[in-house]
Amino acid sequence: MEKKISKSDWLFLGFCLLLGILGEESFFRGKIGISYFVFISGFYAVFFWRYRRYTFSHQRMGYLILCCIWLLSASFFLNDNEVTYGLNIIAIPSLVIFHLVLVTSPKHMKWNQLGMFPYLFSMLLDSVKYNAAFSGVFAKGLKQGVDERKTVIWKKVLIGLVISLPVLIIVLNLLMSADAQFKRMIGGIPEWFNVIDLQSIFRVVIILFYTAGFFGFMQILFKKQIKVIKQTANVQGSKLDSIITITILIVINAVYLLFTMVQFKYFFSGSLQGDYTYAEYARKGFFELLFVTMINLSITVVVLTVVNHGTNFVKRFMQILLTILVLASFVMLISAFMRLGMYEDAYGFTFTRILAHSFMIFLVVIFMYTLVKVWVEKLSLFHFYFISSLIYFTSITVIDLDKMVVKENMIATRKAGRSIFTI
């Protein structure tokens, strides 16, 4: 860190202190509502002021993430849902950190590759180091003109007080046990400290924590003191063997083809075997199918990214096997979708069931792109996965799904009433 601290640094520290106060007022004064939107507005006002002469990189992706951040922060007062409320507590700060690192990173750095994540974490670590260095410089400034011998004396006095505290507690307990009058006197000491507001102390600590976090992180981005981690494209040593992969895919696809045949035999035809009702069958198999679908997606991504394709014949054969795997996953998603629909017909709609429906539609989009990626190698999986996940999460957060649940249940009730009237 530079030994000299410029006036703009001190001014920026003052703005960060105001942000810390705003953050404490927004998040620790009751339930979060429009305060989150106000805080985000203030935060980015300070950020853009600090970087007013800075040319940002990855601007298109940066604007997309910024729009999602604004919408997610606005969702706190647009609707009141505990699930999205809890998720946004983690999602919004994570997106803000990623956005700041993204738009200030070197233009040649590709954000949709693994090299971005070590770069991000290194910035977080160096922001802590920057705060420590800044505190050291600030402490040295305070020490100027102060007698060094007096400083050493006060340090020794403080150490003596800390060491004597455990002994003092033991002695006081023994004396209080020996004399009732002394115990009454000592027992009244806590009332002397009622003038100290512990809540106010806690709030000051929170403000200082926020201030240090904002100041250190944005300063380290501005100072450009972090070395860019070079992306290594040569990952041949971590490639998986193609023959082993093909064997695994053949075994898995054989099981999935058998499952698909069974599904078309009785489930998609509208008839069931055994003693299960539609509602019982739906509840029994929905989560299992959804979990297997996620496993299939993980297998597909691993094969596409870390498997050595070898010869052209092996490559084409592996593409065919992956296509079968993706198509089998489509069948499982359709089956799970129908099971959940039957369960809703029996027990009605809830927030969780509507959310599950939307997530399955999202998975269909993901699998469609993945199927294209199997045959078009130049496409980036992470690029599409990140953007689609961001848009999906923002959509379900901003849209009031509780109103949708009420609406669907009312429609279902009307249909049931009409059918009874017809009978």
Side-chain angles (χ1 to χ4, degrees):
M1 179 181 170
E2 298 175 357
K3 293 183 179 181
K4 293 183 179 180
I5 302 174
S6 63
K7 292 183 179 179
S8 62
D9 291 335
W10 286 112
L11 181 60
F12 180 59
L13 178 61
F15 283 138
C16 288
L17 179 60
L18 293 177
L19 271 182
I21 297 173
L22 180 61
E24 191 277 329
E25 290 286 341
S26 301
F27 306 136
F28 294 91
R29 296 285 184 173
K31 190 173 182 180
I32 302 174
I34 196 173
S35 59
Y36 211 133
F37 185 82
V38 173
F39 171 77
I40 288 295
S41 302
F43 178 86
Y44 273 101
V46 173
F47 171 74
F48 286 121
W49 173 84
R50 183 57 169 162
Y51 286 79
R52 59 192 181 278
R53 297 185 181 91
Y54 191 91
T55 303
F56 294 115
S57 61
H58 307 94
Q59 293 190 24
R60 286 186 298 178
M61 180 54 60
Y63 285 132
L64 174 62
I65 297 176
L66 183 59
C67 290
C68 291
I69 291 172
W70 284 92
L71 289 173
L72 291 175
S73 63
S75 68
F76 279 90
F77 66 90
L78 290 177
N79 54 60
D80 186 13
N81 185 277
E82 295 297 330
V83 176
T84 56
Y85 184 94
L87 290 174
N88 281 333
I89 294 295
I90 302 174
I92 296 178
S94 301
L95 284 175
V96 169
I97 293 173
F98 182 74
H99 175 249
L100 265 58
V101 174
L102 175 68
V103 297
T104 57
S105 63
K107 294 183 179 180
H108 64 270
M109 174 173 279
K110 295 183 179 179
W111 66 268
N112 55 354
Q113 294 186 1
L114 295 178
M116 187 67 178
F117 294 99
Y119 178 71
L120 188 151
F121 288 117
S122 66
M123 285 198 169
L124 291 174
L125 180 62
D126 277 18
S127 65
V128 177
K129 295 179 181 178
Y130 183 90
N131 276 325
F134 183 84
S135 301
V137 174
F138 184 71
K140 287 180 180 179
L142 293 178
K143 288 181 181 180
Q144 290 180 358
V146 179
D147 191 350
E148 187 68 23
R149 290 177 297 178
K150 291 182 179 181
T151 305
V152 173
I153 292 174
W154 280 110
K155 285 182 180 179
K156 292 180 179 180
V157 170
L158 182 61
I159 293 173
L161 289 175
V162 172
I163 294 175
S164 64
L165 188 60
V167 180
L168 184 62
I169 293 174
I170 296 173
V171 171
L172 282 176
N173 282 322
L174 292 174
L175 293 177
M176 290 169 65
S177 301
D179 190 287
Q181 182 64 27
F182 183 76
K183 180 179 180 180
R184 283 194 295 271
M185 184 182 70
I186 297 299
I189 290 179
E191 298 179 0
W192 303 351
F193 296 95
N194 285 340
V195 293
I196 301 176
D197 189 357
L198 294 179
Q199 187 177 12
S200 298
I201 295 176
F202 174 75
R203 293 188 184 282
V204 170
V205 171
I206 293 296
I207 290 172
L208 294 178
F209 177 79
Y210 277 150
T211 302
F214 300 149
F215 180 73
F217 187 61
M218 285 193 275
Q219 278 289 91
I220 208 65
L221 293 175
F222 187 79
K223 297 292 184 180
K224 287 293 183 181
Q225 293 182 353
I226 297 178
K227 296 180 180 179
V228 179
I229 298 176
K230 295 181 180 180
Q231 303 173 23
T232 55
N234 185 15
V235 291
Q236 293 296 329
S238 61
K239 292 287 185 179
L240 298 178
D241 185 76
S242 58
I243 302 301
I244 297 175
T245 304
I246 288 175
T247 305
I248 296 173
L249 289 176
I250 290 175
V251 173
I252 294 176
N253 282 338
V255 175
Y256 289 161
L257 287 174
L258 178 62
F259 174 82
T260 303
M261 292 172 60
V262 173
Q263 294 292 292
F264 278 104
K265 182 178 180 181
Y266 69 91
F267 186 75
F268 291 141
S269 64
S271 62
L272 290 175
Q273 296 178 357
D275 298 328
Y276 290 119
T277 64
Y278 272 113
E280 292 172 340
Y281 191 69
R283 183 176 56 187
K284 181 178 178 61
F286 169 74
F287 289 104
E288 289 84 348
L289 285 175
L290 198 59
F291 185 68
V292 171
T293 304
M294 296 300 296
I295 293 176
N296 292 350
L297 181 61
S298 301
I299 293 173
T300 306
V301 172
V302 169
V303 173
L304 288 174
T305 53
V306 297
V307 172
N308 185 14
H309 293 155
T311 63
N312 191 50
F313 172 78
V314 172
K315 177 181 175 181
R316 289 288 178 262
F317 188 49
M318 194 176 298
Q319 288 175 326
I320 294 172
L321 292 175
L322 287 176
T323 302
I324 296 173
L325 183 64
V326 172
L327 293 178
S329 301
F330 276 125
V331 174
M332 292 179 190
L333 280 175
I334 295 172
S335 178
F337 197 90
M338 293 178 64
R339 290 168 191 260
L340 185 58
M342 290 187 300
Y343 193 70
E344 288 169 339
D345 290 338
Y347 297 102
F349 293 85
T350 64
F351 173 82
T352 306
R353 293 165 195 165
I354 292 290
L355 188 63
H357 266 306
S358 67
F359 183 67
M360 284 187 287
I361 296 173
F362 167 70
L363 284 180
V364 169
V365 176
I366 289 294
F367 271 109
M368 289 176 64
Y369 182 85
T370 306
L371 182 59
V372 177
K373 165 65 178 176
V374 171
W375 297 95
V376 183
E377 297 180 13
K378 64 180 180 180
L379 296 179
S380 173
L381 282 179
F382 181 77
H383 187 278
F384 181 81
Y385 286 176
F386 178 81
I387 294 176
S388 57
S389 300
L390 184 62
I391 295 174
Y392 167 72
F393 181 75
T394 305
S395 300
I396 64 171
T397 302
V398 175
I399 296 173
D400 193 347
L401 295 182
D402 290 325
K403 288 185 179 179
M404 188 179 297
V405 170
V406 174
K407 181 180 178 181
E408 293 296 331
N409 283 329
M410 291 178 63
I411 294 174
T413 303
R414 290 172 186 170
K415 289 182 178 179
R418 290 174 184 173
S419 60
I420 294 174
F421 181 78
T422 303
I423 294 173

